């Protein structure tokens, strides 16, 4: 993946002892204001962060207006509905920061992951659980988040997460991954990780473990 997408910049965070009682509404309002200001000047499709993911999806053989990165889908819904539904404080916070940065952020319940989680091309045999409870198999060579049990925790890279490892009320430990392909991705991912780390520590009183991933340092041990 790093060789195919040398422009990729990624950040990861790990946090345990989370709960669903945190009040993140003030933070959500602040990050939403940033997104609103930017959307008042241009639609999300004109953002360089979104355009870079559209080019990336095209390189993967996907129609970018049919399969959107998670950040584009969030921004599009936010622009149309002037808000996002509340799911879980941590997910809501990640979504708000994703809106502000226009960068996709994935949050996985680590207790639902077997072994390592790797971003790689699919063989086509892996299983993917939808939020509706159905089992799908990714296309051959599709980019997925795969674990040691050959389960896909995300399909089409940053398009859609699995219902299996979605953060829920009982979730206690979370792996968060942010990825970008645009020209200033390195700087922006660094700022996003710092911003998210500070927000997580503030709302859950636990300092997350963080890492910047690259071709030279592609693993995050936690």
């Amino acid at each position: 993946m790093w060789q195919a997408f040398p422009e990729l910049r990624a950040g990861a965070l790990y946090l345990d002892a989370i709960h669903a009682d945190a009040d993140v509404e003030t933070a959500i309002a602040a990050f939403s204001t940033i997104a609103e200001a930017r959307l008042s000047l241009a639609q999300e499709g004109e953002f360089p962060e979104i355009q870079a993911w559209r080019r990336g999806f095209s390189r993967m053989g996907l129609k970018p207006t049919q399969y959107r990165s998670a950040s584009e889908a969030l921004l599009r819904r936010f622009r149309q509905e002037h808000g996002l539904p509340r799911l879980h404080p941590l997910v809501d916070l990640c979504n708000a920061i994703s809106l502000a940065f226009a960068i996709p952020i994935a949050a996985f319940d680590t207790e639902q992951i077997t072994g390592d989680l790797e971003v790689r091309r699919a063989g086509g045999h892996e299983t993917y659980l939808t939020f509706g409870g159905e089992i799908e198999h990714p296309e051959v060579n599709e980019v997925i988040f795969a674990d040691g049990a050959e389960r896909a925790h995300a399909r089409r890279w940053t398009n859609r997460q699995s219902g299996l490892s979605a953060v829920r009320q009982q979730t206690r430990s979370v792996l968060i991954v942010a990825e970008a392909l645009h020209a200033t991705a390195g700087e922006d991912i660094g700022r996003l990780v710092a911003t998210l780390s500070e927000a997580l520590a503030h709302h859950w009183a636990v300092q997350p473990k963080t890492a910047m991933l690259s071709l030279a340092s592609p693993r995050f041990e936690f």
Side-chain angles (χ1 to χ4, degrees):
M1 292 304 302
W2 292 107
Q3 293 173 348
F5 293 88
E7 70 274 34
L8 171 65
R9 300 294 181 268
L13 306 92
Y14 172 74
L15 183 72
D16 59 12
I18 73 162
H19 53 78
D21 299 323
D23 182 359
V24 297
E25 289 304 316
T26 299
I28 288 175
F31 291 119
S32 296
T33 297
I34 296 172
E36 287 172 348
R38 196 169 179 191
L39 285 168
S40 70
L41 301 175
Q43 289 195 3
E44 67 281 353
E46 299 177 48
F47 295 179
E49 301 90 340
I50 301 304
Q51 291 178 342
W53 274 113
R54 286 187 175 187
R55 292 191 296 271
F57 274 43
S58 293
R59 285 161 60 187
M60 291 188 290
L62 300 172
K63 187 177 180 180
T65 53
Q66 179 179 3
Y67 299 109
R68 305 175 191 273
S69 67
S71 53
E72 179 176 0
L74 282 177
L75 282 162
R76 191 166 184 261
R77 183 170 185 176
F78 180 77
R79 173 174 55 80
Q80 294 174 342
E81 301 179 8
H82 306 287
L84 295 176
R86 298 296 187 261
L87 303 170
H88 180 286
L90 185 135
V91 175
D92 300 339
L93 179 63
C94 287
N95 283 347
I97 293 177
S98 178
L99 289 175
F101 281 84
I103 291 174
I105 300 175
F108 304 97
D109 183 334
T110 60
E111 293 183 6
Q112 303 302 319
I113 297 171
T114 300
D116 292 338
L117 189 64
E118 182 181 15
V119 181
R120 63 165 173 80
R121 298 280 184 175
H125 60 279
E126 298 88 353
T127 58
Y128 172 89
L129 179 67
T130 70
F131 279 86
E134 299 176 348
I135 296 295
E136 298 178 351
H137 296 283
E139 301 290 335
V140 175
N141 288 326
E142 179 182 325
V143 179
I144 61 172
F145 279 65
D147 73 4
E150 300 296 317
R151 295 179 301 193
H153 292 270
R155 288 198 61 185
R156 304 180 192 91
W157 202 349
T158 57
N159 169 240
R160 187 159 57 112
Q161 287 188 233
S162 167
L164 177 63
S165 52
V167 173
R168 293 184 170 86
Q169 297 296 306
Q170 66 271 24
T171 298
R172 291 295 173 264
S173 61
V174 179
L175 171 67
I176 302 172
V177 181
E179 299 164 288
L181 299 171
H182 61 287
T184 60
E187 176 184 342
D188 293 339
I189 286 288
R191 289 194 301 110
L192 186 155
V193 169
T195 299
L196 181 53
S197 180
E198 180 180 353
L200 292 171
H202 174 74
H203 290 96
W204 281 273
V206 178
Q207 189 63 44
K209 183 176 181 180
T210 67
M212 294 294 291
L213 306 179
S214 66
L215 175 61
S217 181
R219 294 179 64 89
F220 177 41
E221 301 282 355
F222 60 88

